[in-house]
Amino acid sequence: MKAEPIYRCWAEVDLNALRENLAWLRHRVGPEVGIMTVVKADAYGHGLKAIAALLMQSGTDVFGVANLNEARDIRAVGRGWPILMLGACLPEERPAAVKDDIMPTLSTLAEARAYSKLAVALDRTVKVHIKVDTGMGRLGVSAEVADRLVRAVMRLPGLVMQGLYTHYSAAEDDARFSARQRQRFASLVNRLRHAGILIPSIHANNSGALLHEPETLFNLVRPGLMVYGIVPPGKRRSTLPLSRYLRPALAFKCRVSLVKEVPRGTPLSYGGTFVTPRKMKVATLTAGYGDGYLRAGSNRAWVLVGGKRCRVLGRITMDQMLVDVSRVPRVRVGDEAVLIGSQGRESITTTELAEWGQTIAWEVLTSITYRVRRVYKGASAA
Ligand SMILES: *Cc1c(COP(=O)(O)O)cnc(C)c1O
């Protein structure tokens, strides 16, 4: 029999949850719309290779990545899936992108010409996506003149005009600004359509827009956060009972390494920012900011021990932190502590932890560091 590995701080990833989330997204967008699963930043901290394998089995259509290493990791898992590089390739990265058949994102004619030259030199065709800036102000050609870039790309040798896309900057918060972005992009798409220019993939919606901008599904959507089972929080309210349909795939856990009673008036952790107001039972946990548990949650965050919510006391340190277990009667060294996830009837969401750490769910997930073992559960984990 194999010995159970000993984990001090680990992330459990439920592959069934991912599979079901993707199935629900598919159901929601309907059979005419493809899904590009966004797996940048190590699949939002879930572990790129395992997640790519699962998403391939579960029928993703395209992958979205942020760099070429991520694209290579996906290719190592399985060939044949289209991969879109969502960022701009650096000039010296372009030859590798062309050779590895990664679809680049273009914002300018200069980039289009460079890829065309490479395509001809390497005797390849390059499928490109043109990014349209409708208000994000990061990448892309402005919507008003994008038609010209599309036509130019269509004339350049070696290039295939595969995709046209834009990106919402505040889909979960700002209905008016999103409407403006939607109108700019939709009017461009219509102009091109009337000119008889048909582009295979047209896409705009990230997770926030999937909730709030149903008119811009076009024929491809680009969910990230929702694939991992998290609903992007924001000012705009959705009427869908999403927590019923989406299940968070990741749980973040560690262990109790010491339990002690401390008298009233005891300063705890660096800087003594917390002083016990009464006698307290305090547990030391085997996780800290070196594992990606945000230090900004010092004196603010909560964890689960013995099925109860326990407050983080004092500063979170690199490898350890202290929590109040005064209300947990039978806490023992070695017990599991839950940083994200459920225990008994309680649960802590990534979004809650993000609020305590004064950041967003995306950053909480992508902050989980390399030393945190990802442990996969679910049917395809073997
Ligand atoms: C990261 C990213 C997405 C996915 O965003 P979520 O909010 O996680 O759904 C979609 N499109 C682009 C261009 C991105 O960079």
Side-chain angles (χ1 to χ4, degrees):
M1 203 175 93
K2 231 169 61 179
E4 285 279 314
I6 298 165
Y7 300 126
R8 293 175 68 85
C9 182
W10 69 103
E12 284 173 12
V13 179
D14 181 348
L15 296 173
N16 287 333
L18 275 157
R19 191 208 313 276
E20 288 157 24
N21 294 339
L22 186 62
W24 182 76
L25 284 165
R26 205 171 263 306
H27 168 76
R28 171 132 172 89
V29 299
E32 310 295 319
V33 178
I35 296 186
M36 177 189 302
T37 44
V38 178
V39 293
K40 59 202 187 193
D42 205 27
Y44 287 44
H46 292 62
L48 177 52
K49 285 190 170 174
I51 300 309
L54 185 277
L55 293 173
M56 286 172 184
Q57 289 170 18
S58 312
T60 187
D61 300 298
V62 189
F63 286 103
V65 300
N67 65 43
L68 295 182
N69 285 337
E70 294 172 347
R72 254 172 239 136
D73 281 349
I74 294 171
R75 289 275 188 260
V77 173
R79 305 198 69 82
W81 271 266
I83 302 178
L84 174 64
M85 166 84 180
L86 296 165
C89 282
L90 297 169
E92 59 267 46
E93 291 177 321
R94 288 174 191 151
V98 171
K99 283 180 203 155
D100 292 350
D101 195 21
I102 312 305
M103 299 184 289
T105 288
L106 305 187
S107 304
T108 66
L109 183 57
E111 286 174 298
R113 288 199 176 118
Y115 281 106
S116 171
K117 251 192 195 157
L118 275 169
V120 171
L122 296 167
D123 195 21
R124 300 284 181 111
T125 52
V126 181
K127 292 179 175 171
V128 302
H129 288 236
I130 290 182
K131 179 90 177 262
V132 181
D133 185 5
T134 55
M136 177 71 182
R138 187 173 60 178
L139 288 181
V141 57
S142 101
E144 287 67 38
V145 299
D147 323 48
R148 255 191 283 159
L149 183 56
V150 171
R151 289 170 200 274
V153 163
M154 292 175 70
R155 282 193 301 265
L156 282 168
L159 299 190
V160 173
M161 184 61 220
Q162 174 68 31
L164 184 77
Y165 75 107
T166 192
H167 192 48
Y168 283 100
S169 71
E172 55 270 45
D173 288 319
D174 192 334
R176 275 175 71 192
F177 193 78
S178 299
R180 218 174 311 154
Q181 288 195 273
R182 184 204 321 137
Q183 282 149 15
R184 279 189 190 134
F185 190 61
S187 108
L188 168 68
V189 170
N190 280 333
R191 285 201 303 278
L192 290 167
R193 201 173 281 151
H194 283 134
I197 296 172
L198 294 177
I199 300 169
S201 305
I202 301 199
H203 46 114
N205 284 15
N206 59 0
S207 295
L210 269 168
L211 289 182
H212 302 292
E213 295 293 337
E215 282 159 48
T216 48
L217 292 180
F218 298 106
N219 61 9
L220 185 66
V221 294
R222 300 191 309 273
L225 200 65
M226 277 166 70
V227 173
Y228 307 96
I230 300 170
V231 181
K235 296 200 188 87
R236 295 175 79 181
R237 292 272 158 263
S238 168
T239 50
L240 285 170
L242 282 156
S243 50
R244 217 185 293 161
Y245 306 125
L246 294 175
R247 198 145 56 87
L250 181 138
F252 192 11
K253 297 183 175 177
C254 67
R255 314 278 292 272
V256 172
S257 62
L258 185 73
V259 181
K260 62 185 172 184
E261 302 263 358
V262 297
R264 178 174 170 223
T266 309
L268 296 179
S269 192
Y270 288 123
T273 59
F274 182 87
V275 179
T276 53
R278 56 191 146 76
K279 187 174 114 182
M280 282 179 124
K281 188 160 62 166
V282 176
T284 305
L285 304 185
T286 55
Y289 63 78
D291 302 288
Y293 192 77
L294 301 173
R295 185 172 172 278
S298 297
N299 284 312
R300 297 167 54 95
W302 298 74
V303 309
L304 304 178
V305 180
K308 293 218 163 64
R309 284 198 167 223
C310 303
R311 207 177 130 198
V312 171
L313 304 175
R315 289 205 183 129
I316 292 157
T317 71
M318 189 184 288
D319 316 299
Q320 306 174 69
M321 59 183 172
L322 302 171
V323 297
D324 178 9
V325 289
S326 302
R327 293 191 314 121
V328 189
R330 274 182 293 277
V331 58
R332 294 255 187 293
V333 167
D335 283 358
E336 197 171 284
V338 172
L339 312 177
I340 297 173
S342 22
Q343 194 181 55
R345 265 184 266 166
E346 283 286 351
S347 64
I348 288 172
T349 65
T350 303
T351 301
E352 268 182 295
L353 182 53
E355 276 167 27
W356 297 325
Q358 294 159 57
T359 183
I360 54 175
W362 294 261
E363 190 180 12
V364 168
L365 294 175
T366 57
S367 295
I368 299 174
T369 60
Y370 67 93
R371 80 175 179 193
V372 176
R373 250 305 269 288
R374 272 64 170 177
V375 182
Y376 297 96
K377 306 189 312 182
S380 338

